[in-house]
Amino acid sequence: MRRRIAVAQGDLTGDGMVETVLLTGTQQAGSAAWQQIALEIEDGASKRRVRLLLPQDVGYDPQITLGNMSGRDKSDVLISIDSGGSGGIGYYTVYSYMNGMYRIIFDSESYNAALPYRVVFLENYVVRAESLANGMIYLIDISGRDEEYLRGIYNADGTLRREQSGFVDPLSLLYPADVNRDGVLELVAWQRISGLYHADGLGDFINTLTWTGQQFALSGQTVGIFGESRQM
């Protein structure tokens, strides 16, 4: 039986009327996972309801966030779903009302495909993380890691024992924020940079995405790195 998961209200069409937004899905007895998750919107004026499919419709803790991500005159719908895997990956979809219909203007799968990365270990205890979409290169100093870890990668003189690559996880966190203070919300996206294995976290790519009128485009990028406390 299909059940209600979450509900929110806001003006999605810009006509001044309030729409009711729901996430519905099915759930097996004894399981925390939701399946066949769908977005349902009840029009504020006509009271007609439409059900919209999601690119990823299975996961945990589905949530709705409303906000003006594509303009000031109406709200858009951000759906967040946890994958439940050990990688902490999230599924995110943004629906917007445009030209008389609701359409997807952001989804995790398209985002992950559009922003590839390359992570390689360099000599002298440095990792190079490159964002191929914009050509930006970030160098992460790992000389402070414990000796046993470094000995598995480097010779005593700081040269590499062998070529070694890392990787960047798919999208793990996405949230709206008015970064530019212009009344329109940007999307802030986080992706983990890992070294030898997933638990070997080196930092995060933090991307800001701005609506251009046609799509969300990369407008800012930083890398947050992990520090460690050392006794003086």
Side-chain angles (χ1 to χ4, degrees):
M1 178 183 295
R2 181 166 291 274
R3 295 167 52 196
R4 177 183 296 187
I5 305 171
V7 62
Q9 290 187 313
D11 180 7
L12 306 187
T13 63
D15 65 356
M17 302 294 289
V18 174
E19 277 66 53
T20 300
V21 185
L22 305 97
L23 283 181
T24 63
T26 61
Q27 196 173 37
Q28 295 183 356
S31 173
W34 288 93
Q35 300 175 335
Q36 299 177 327
I37 303 168
L39 173 66
E40 299 187 17
I41 300 174
E42 181 180 287
D43 186 75
S46 68
K47 303 303 178 183
R48 288 195 293 266
R49 182 176 293 192
V50 60
R51 179 182 294 175
L52 304 168
L53 301 180
L54 301 176
Q56 299 89 11
D57 64 353
V58 177
Y60 297 81
D61 193 26
Q63 298 181 17
I64 302 170
T65 303
L66 303 184
N68 50 341
M69 306 167 211
S70 65
R72 296 184 179 87
D73 60 341
K74 61 183 177 62
S75 291
D76 304 304
V77 185
L78 168 62
I79 302 100
S80 310
I81 303 172
D82 293 338
S83 70
S86 59
I89 297 170
Y91 304 137
Y92 298 90
T93 307
V94 177
Y95 261 103
S96 182
Y97 188 81
M98 294 183 174
N99 299 320
M101 64 183 297
Y102 291 98
R103 69 182 186 94
I104 294 175
I105 60 173
F106 178 92
D107 72 274
S108 299
E109 186 175 356
S110 299
Y111 168 85
N112 291 328
L115 290 175
Y117 302 94
R118 181 185 296 122
V119 180
V120 295
F121 286 77
L122 305 179
E123 295 186 349
N124 297 315
Y125 314 107
V126 172
V127 174
R128 169 181 165 140
E130 181 179 2
S131 172
L132 301 180
N134 58 2
M136 295 297 293
I137 295 171
Y138 305 86
L139 300 178
I140 302 173
D141 182 357
I142 60 170
S143 61
R145 301 292 295 269
D146 66 78
E147 293 185 7
E148 182 178 358
Y149 172 88
L150 294 176
R151 281 199 301 268
I153 306 171
Y154 293 96
N155 298 307
D157 61 355
T159 58
L160 288 165
R161 292 183 178 274
R162 66 189 69 84
E163 290 186 1
Q164 185 67 58
S165 299
F167 58 95
V168 176
D169 281 349
L171 184 60
S172 61
L173 175 64
L174 183 82
Y175 58 88
D178 189 0
V179 176
N180 297 332
R181 300 295 184 183
D182 61 356
V184 178
L185 299 169
E186 285 75 40
L187 298 178
V188 181
W190 287 62
Q191 293 174 267
R192 172 65 55 88
I193 305 169
S194 295
L196 302 181
Y197 40 84
H198 184 267
D200 181 22
L202 304 177
D204 293 282
F205 272 102
I206 307 169
N207 294 324
T208 300
L209 310 172
T210 301
W211 181 250
T212 65
Q214 299 293 326
Q215 63 183 354
F216 281 102
L218 184 64
S219 60
Q221 184 179 75
T222 59
V223 166
I225 61 172
F226 301 139
E228 61 179 28
S229 178
R230 291 187 177 183
Q231 293 184 355
M232 302 297 293

